[in-house]
Structures are given as structure tokens and as C-alpha cells.
Amino acid sequence: MSASTGGCARSGHEYLRNALARERGNRLVSSMVERLRARSAEFAEGWDSHHVAFQQFGTRVLNHPQVGRLAIDFQGLQPIGHDRIRIVVYTAADDAESSERLARLLNP
């Protein structure tokens, strides 16, 4: 499954920086950051900007291998005082085609 590259690629460094800030010793995230910095000048520039993000809501467009294009809305929730807990709720976007395709995945 792949996400559309628009906002994801531009802000990916912000979400990785958030993950690394929460778990400084995480070698997986550190290694990924170093590989991305070496391969992408755009990523390196974004990483060097030091912006951090946790996106609370939005829509992602995915290309699912079984049903094709899915537009998925999400809402992120984080309890106050619990930095390591995040609940993300996903629903089909306001689009009949995505609703039907998601229903097909849930009820094969």
C-alpha cells in the first residue's frame, strides 16, 4: 500500500523528528533518518529545519493492492499528559467509492 506523496513527503521529516524526540535511543528511526538524509536533499533540508509535528486530522489517499484507490480520513487523539499514547481513528472519506471499497475489505 502506498500513500500519495504530496503532503506526506514534505512533512515526513517532522513526524520522524517527533518519533525520535520521544525515543532518543531508537536506532531504527535514527538509521532511517540518516539514510533519507543521504538520499534526498529535500529531506535533509527539511530535517535541518528542526520542525516537529503530530498531525491531528486529515485525509490520506492510499493505493491498496486489492481494492485500489482509498481516501481515508483520520483523527488523532492524545490524552493530556501521556506523550507516548496516541489513538488514531480512520474512516472512509466522504466519497462513496472509498466507502464501498473499504466495506469490501472489511467484509470480503
Side-chain angles (χ1 to χ4, degrees):
M1 199 167 16
S2 61
S4 64
T5 57
C8 294
R10 283 192 301 272
S11 60
H13 62 277
E14 296 173 359
Y15 301 114
L16 283 173
R17 187 172 286 287
N18 185 329
L20 199 55
R22 285 182 284 119
E23 296 184 47
R24 293 206 178 270
N26 188 323
R27 289 180 177 221
L28 178 63
V29 176
S30 297
S31 174
M32 184 184 316
V33 167
E34 289 309 311
R35 288 193 315 265
L36 287 168
R37 289 187 84 220
R39 293 181 181 157
S40 168
E42 180 182 6
F43 181 87
E45 181 181 333
W47 185 260
D48 293 342
S49 73
H50 298 281
H51 293 139
V52 179
F54 169 59
Q55 190 164 352
Q56 301 286 337
F57 61 90
T59 300
R60 294 279 188 249
V61 178
L62 309 171
N63 185 21
H64 192 279
Q66 293 175 321
V67 296
R69 182 189 175 280
L70 284 171
I72 305 292
D73 289 338
F74 66 92
Q75 174 70 50
L77 308 167
Q78 184 172 14
I80 295 172
H82 297 280
D83 292 344
R84 298 181 64 124
I85 298 174
R86 291 211 175 103
I87 300 168
V88 181
V89 178
Y90 297 94
T91 57
D94 218 4
D95 137 2
E97 188 175 296
S98 289
S99 292
E100 184 273 325
R101 289 177 178 182
L102 189 58
R104 253 192 296 156
L105 282 174
L106 296 173
N107 304 303

